[in-house]
Amino acid sequence: MAKAIKKQALGRGLSALLKDPENDIKSANDKNADKVVGNIIELEIDAIEINPFQPRSNFNEEALKELAVSIKELGVIQPITVRKLDFNKYQLISGERRLRASTLVGLATIPAYIRIADDNESLVMALVENIQRHDLDPIEIALSYQRLIDEIQLTQEQISDRVGKKRSTIANYLRLLKLDPIIQTGIRDGFISMGHGRAIINIEDLDIQTDIYQKIVSQNLSVRDTEALVKNYHESLKPKPVATKGKSSSFEINEEQKRAFTNYFGNLVDVKVAGNGKGKITIPFKSEEDFNRIIQLIKG
């Protein structure tokens, strides 16, 4: 506790330094900058403006009130981070929930880390800080990754290095942005999970996506159920094999042809043809003499 009191007292001393026009620090190379930049300083809340690059768009009011109660009792345990814009003017980089909650309980000052950064650095810091939070929904995280790509021109590999996440993890979040906006809203509002979204994204047709989404919500389907639905959909798209009858090679032996065999060999010849066109001719004989006779006929 004594350590916390000492830190806050130090912060108030540095705050006085920042309010001195003779010590207006605008860059890390200015006099006394090393005493301010990176240190915890008690800043007047009225001197802090909200970060226009704030990636978070939803704030749970109930959770905000709970945080306000905690701050009222224990104070702000984790300082916010700001960047210096002008004399006694700062812009929030991260910690908007703490700033909002502190305002709710009527605090005049808040502990803050001071950074001097351009807009790009500010955006990167804000996005990376928010990505690391556990209470962001998957779509907010995906949008933060996308902004790092679009506005800072970072690659997925570079983002991976910045946030300490695998590239495949980042890619999975980004793929959620291909979902129909209705489904993205469903994920943000907690109607379905990221796992559901990852299953649905394997369908390109947005109308089919929303149909499956409606089934998930109305039937309370699990992620595994959803994966089965998607699999069945893809199976239904595969061309079904056409059952074709093989061309028959069989043919008919008429009575006249049978009689021709019988008349030639002098015995009742049996001729049979199978379905594949193959067959056999059976020539009976009555004795060895009859057999030799038939042999002579075959030899011609």
Side-chain angles (χ1 to χ4, degrees), residues 40 113 115 127 136 151 154 157 183 186 212 226 276:
I40 301 174
Y113 287 109
R115 293 284 184 92
L127 291 171
L136 279 186
E151 300 179 39
L154 295 182
E157 289 290 349
I183 302 173
I212 290 180
T226 305
N276 59 5

Side-chain angles (χ1 to χ4, degrees), residues 69-85:
V69 171
S70 173
I71 287 175
K72 187 175 182 180
E73 294 180 359
L74 304 173
V76 179
I77 298 173
Q78 181 183 356
I80 63 172
T81 303
V82 299
R83 72 185 182 106
K84 194 171 186 297
L85 295 178

Side-chain angles (χ1 to χ4, degrees), residues 52-104:
F53 302 121
Q54 168 62 266
R56 180 190 296 273
S57 56
N58 294 324
F59 290 88
N60 184 292
E61 291 299 324
E62 191 62 33
L64 204 58
K65 290 177 182 177
E66 291 176 1
L67 178 59
V69 171
S70 173
I71 287 175
K72 187 175 182 180
E73 294 180 359
L74 304 173
V76 179
I77 298 173
Q78 181 183 356
I80 63 172
T81 303
V82 299
R83 72 185 182 106
K84 194 171 186 297
L85 295 178
D86 206 342
F87 179 68
N88 201 34
K89 185 178 180 182
Y90 306 88
Q91 185 180 83
L92 186 71
I93 291 177
S94 63
E96 186 167 348
R97 287 183 71 250
R98 279 162 276 160
L99 183 62
R100 286 173 179 261
S102 298
T103 303
L104 277 178

Side-chain angles (χ1 to χ4, degrees), residues 22-297:
E22 298 297 322
N23 288 288
D24 186 18
I25 300 167
K26 295 181 179 179
S27 77
N29 296 320
D30 289 347
K31 181 183 177 181
N32 293 323
D34 59 321
K35 297 178 181 178
V36 173
V37 177
N39 289 308
I40 301 174
I41 297 172
E42 284 289 332
L43 287 183
E44 294 177 353
I45 289 178
D46 290 343
I48 304 170
E49 68 175 37
I50 298 299
N51 186 354
F53 302 121
Q54 168 62 266
R56 180 190 296 273
S57 56
N58 294 324
F59 290 88
N60 184 292
E61 291 299 324
E62 191 62 33
L64 204 58
K65 290 177 182 177
E66 291 176 1
L67 178 59
V69 171
S70 173
I71 287 175
K72 187 175 182 180
E73 294 180 359
L74 304 173
V76 179
I77 298 173
Q78 181 183 356
I80 63 172
T81 303
V82 299
R83 72 185 182 106
K84 194 171 186 297
L85 295 178
D86 206 342
F87 179 68
N88 201 34
K89 185 178 180 182
Y90 306 88
Q91 185 180 83
L92 186 71
I93 291 177
S94 63
E96 186 167 348
R97 287 183 71 250
R98 279 162 276 160
L99 183 62
R100 286 173 179 261
S102 298
T103 303
L104 277 178
V105 296
L107 295 185
T109 64
I110 187 170
Y113 287 109
I114 303 293
R115 293 284 184 92
I116 297 174
D118 61 22
D119 284 351
N120 273 4
E121 290 172 337
S122 178
L123 175 57
V124 171
M125 284 188 283
L127 291 171
V128 171
E129 196 268 351
N130 275 277
I131 287 168
Q132 303 292 2
R133 301 185 68 88
H134 294 293
D135 54 350
L136 279 186
D137 66 67
I139 299 301
E140 284 180 308
I141 294 175
L143 289 170
S144 295
Y145 285 141
Q146 192 62 53
R147 290 188 67 186
L148 286 171
I149 292 171
D150 294 341
E151 300 179 39
I152 311 299
Q153 283 75 55
L154 295 182
T155 65
Q156 290 186 21
E157 289 290 349
Q158 290 170 326
I159 296 173
S160 173
D161 293 337
R162 291 288 187 104
V163 302
K165 303 286 185 182
K166 291 182 179 179
R167 184 184 174 281
S168 58
T169 299
I170 295 168
N172 284 333
Y173 275 103
L174 289 170
R175 291 183 72 225
L176 295 177
L177 300 180
K178 295 181 180 180
L179 289 167
D180 185 277
I182 293 175
I183 302 173
Q184 292 186 39
T185 301
I187 293 176
R188 300 191 72 166
D189 293 340
F191 289 110
I192 63 172
S193 69
M194 180 179 175
H196 289 103
R198 288 182 61 184
I200 299 173
I201 198 61
N202 292 311
I203 295 176
E204 294 183 3
D205 190 313
L206 296 185
D207 290 333
I208 302 298
Q209 283 187 9
T210 53
D211 286 345
I212 290 180
Y213 168 70
Q214 295 295 343
K215 287 182 181 179
I216 296 170
V217 175
S218 62
Q219 300 176 27
N220 195 28
L221 299 181
S222 67
V223 173
R224 183 167 293 183
D225 293 334
T226 305
E227 290 171 344
L229 270 180
V230 172
K231 182 179 180 181
N232 290 340
Y233 168 74
H234 285 301
E235 290 292 335
S236 70
L237 296 181
K238 292 181 180 178
K240 293 180 174 57
V242 179
T244 55
K245 293 183 179 180
K247 186 177 180 181
S248 176
S249 301
S250 183
F251 57 94
E252 295 290 332
I253 300 293
N254 57 41
E255 291 301 319
E256 183 178 352
Q257 290 170 321
K258 288 181 180 180
R259 280 197 300 271
F261 278 105
T262 298
N263 292 338
Y264 182 78
F265 290 104
N267 288 336
L268 184 60
V269 176
D270 183 26
V271 182
K272 291 182 179 179
V273 181
N276 59 5
K278 297 180 179 180
K280 65 179 180 178
I281 300 172
T282 304
I283 307 172
F285 54 90
K286 299 173 183 177
S287 61
E288 182 180 358
E289 182 182 355
D290 195 22
F291 174 77
N292 291 330
R293 179 184 66 80
I294 293 171
I295 291 296
Q296 290 302 318
L297 288 172

